[in-house]
Amino acid sequence: MNQQYYDAVVTMEQAGTDPEFVQGFQCGYLLIPEREEQRITEAYEAGYAAGKERDLEAYKEWTN
C-alpha cells in the first residue's frame, strides 16, 4: 500500500473525520467504483472526489 495513502487515512481517523468522508476518500483514492446511488451521502461524495484528486487537505472540512 502507498505510504501517502496510509498516512492520510490515519490522520483523518485521528482527527475525528466523518467516517463517510473517510470511506469515500478510500474508494476514490483507490479508484474503486462509487457506492450505489441510494447509499451515497454528501460526506461520502466529497471524500470520493477528494480521493480521486489526491486532495489530502479536504478532510478538514469534515472533521468534528
Side-chain angles (χ1 to χ4, degrees):
M1 200 57 50
N2 178 321
Q3 188 65 43
Q4 181 183 32
Y5 166 80
Y6 175 80
D7 291 343
V9 171
V10 168
T11 298
M12 288 179 209
E13 290 175 341
Q14 288 176 344
T17 304
D18 186 321
E20 287 287 303
F21 181 92
V22 177
Q23 276 193 349
F25 179 86
Q26 291 170 326
C27 291
Y29 194 99
L30 299 173
L31 302 177
I32 297 170
E34 282 189 276
R35 294 175 175 169
E36 54 278 354
E37 188 176 333
Q38 66 270 22
R39 293 185 54 223
I40 292 178
T41 64
E42 186 179 353
Y44 176 87
E45 202 166 39
Y48 194 88
K52 279 180 71 174
E53 295 170 15
R54 312 280 177 162
D55 182 347
L56 305 178
E57 299 297 317
Y59 77 92
K60 294 175 181 175
E61 295 178 34
W62 294 93
T63 300
N64 296 331

